[in-house]
Amino acid sequence: MKVVYWTPNSGGGAGKYEYYLPKEVKRLGVEVEVFIRPKGFKGNPITLRLFYKSSRGDVIHATTQTLSIYSYPKPNKFIVTVHDIYSLHKSLVSQVKRFLIKNTLKRADRIIAVSNFTKNEIIEQIGIDEDKIEVVYMGVDHSLYRPKDKEDCKKRLRLNVEEKHILVVASNLPHKRMDITKAVFDEILKVRRDVKLLKAGYGSKLKGEGIINVGFIPEEKMPILYNAADVLLHTSEYEGFGMPLLEAMACGIPIVCSNKASIPEVVGDCAELVDLDAEDSVKQFAEKILDCIDKGKRNKKGIERSKKFSWERVARETMKVYEELL
């Protein structure tokens, strides 16, 4: 079998997926070819369709939903992974892209969804038959993301070991709800002054007293950042999967997060969930975070749960989709 991957050189969880999946599938003895869009290369549907040439493969796998747009003419045995059906942007460009994605996704022979939440959205919003969609959860590199000594990690990042640190790994896009994050931290500062907020994610900054914008953190140093934190705060109202949640669990970091979208599906009973729709949601977030800080315990349940999410498992389950299609 030969599998040809179309990958867009993404960031975040989608970028990790497009890196690890071909690598792990190749380890299973499969011939793999990868087309990676060069960084900074924008192009248009015509030039990108020429770039994402199908070549000769038994299966063509587009690793993110945006690449379904370039499936004219449709490659033989075409699979698309959908990370989310994000509908919160209202700009004209995103509306046009969304229209194209919704229509071209229907051309795929099979669709892989990264969560049941995403699968249900594909069914409800696009009208694709349930039998055409397979759920394959994301993975985490356990050789990289694992528990480390907290004090040592704080020192390596030049953080005050006497202070407590709340970590937020997210962009400033509206659905990430940085307004709630800021309100929660302001609430915490009313009670404790020895707490700082570490903000990481796509270079987006958050302004305010006690907030440390850590800037760009290379992948190999991200586990140090997670382990330096006393708790992960995740206020997002929309996630197709939520990679920071899985990485935090693998590092054994307590998590306080919203109960929206795929989030409960990913964390299970290994996090403190807060209903974003509750009138006192900000107060609930603050109380749960302070409780985690006071207890100062490893998230052992999170570590165990994270072991179910490996890239080797992702490859094996994806291979089943290929084999069923063939």
Side-chain angles (χ1 to χ4, degrees), residues 162-181:
E162 300 299 323
E163 293 178 333
K164 302 298 181 181
H165 297 90
I166 302 166
L167 176 61
V168 174
V169 181
S171 69
N172 285 3
L173 289 172
H175 68 285
K176 298 297 185 179
R177 298 306 304 265
M178 287 300 103
D179 57 326
I180 294 179
T181 292

Side-chain angles (χ1 to χ4, degrees), residues 148-157 161 224 228:
K148 298 175 182 291
D149 182 77
K150 186 170 301 296
E151 186 171 323
D152 179 62
C153 289
K154 286 181 187 286
K155 288 178 178 177
R156 291 176 68 176
L157 294 175
V161 297
I224 299 172

Side-chain angles (χ1 to χ4, degrees), residues 83-219:
H83 295 273
D84 59 58
I85 300 296
Y86 178 49
S87 59
L88 298 180
H89 276 315
K90 299 299 180 183
S91 70
L92 178 60
V93 172
S94 61
Q95 284 182 1
V96 171
K97 178 179 275 191
R98 179 172 166 75
F99 172 80
L100 290 171
I101 291 171
K102 286 177 68 173
N103 282 275
T104 54
L105 270 179
K106 296 176 182 178
R107 298 169 56 80
D109 295 296
R110 293 293 295 275
I111 289 173
I112 293 174
V114 298
S115 65
N116 279 297
F117 168 78
T118 295
K119 176 181 177 178
N120 291 333
E121 284 221 313
I122 295 168
I123 295 168
E124 293 167 7
Q125 294 195 34
I126 303 178
I128 292 176
D129 193 289
E130 180 179 5
D131 295 336
K132 197 175 176 179
I133 308 167
E134 188 70 31
V135 174
V136 178
Y137 290 116
M138 299 278 271
V140 65
D141 186 344
H142 290 280
S143 68
L144 190 62
Y145 290 91
R146 62 185 194 275
K148 298 175 182 291
D149 182 77
K150 186 170 301 296
E151 186 171 323
D152 179 62
C153 289
K154 286 181 187 286
K155 288 178 178 177
R156 291 176 68 176
L157 294 175
R158 298 182 180 179
L159 300 174
N160 187 340
V161 297
E162 300 299 323
E163 293 178 333
K164 302 298 181 181
H165 297 90
I166 302 166
L167 176 61
V168 174
V169 181
S171 69
N172 285 3
L173 289 172
H175 68 285
K176 298 297 185 179
R177 298 306 304 265
M178 287 300 103
D179 57 326
I180 294 179
T181 292
K182 181 66 167 55
V184 170
F185 186 57
D186 287 344
E187 187 73 17
I188 288 170
L189 287 179
K190 294 176 183 177
V191 181
R192 293 186 64 157
R193 307 298 297 181
D194 63 336
V195 180
K196 295 289 188 289
L197 179 71
L198 304 176
K199 172 66 167 65
Y202 302 102
S204 302
K205 293 184 177 181
L206 194 62
K207 296 180 180 179
E209 181 187 357
I211 299 175
I212 302 172
N213 291 285
V214 298
F216 173 74
I217 302 290
E219 179 70 10

Side-chain angles (χ1 to χ4, degrees), residues 114-115 137 240-242 245-246 249 262-268 305 309:
V114 298
S115 65
Y137 290 116
F241 183 82
L245 299 164
L246 177 53
M249 285 195 297
S262 65
I263 293 173
E265 191 178 343
V266 174
V267 300
R305 181 172 177 80
F309 300 84

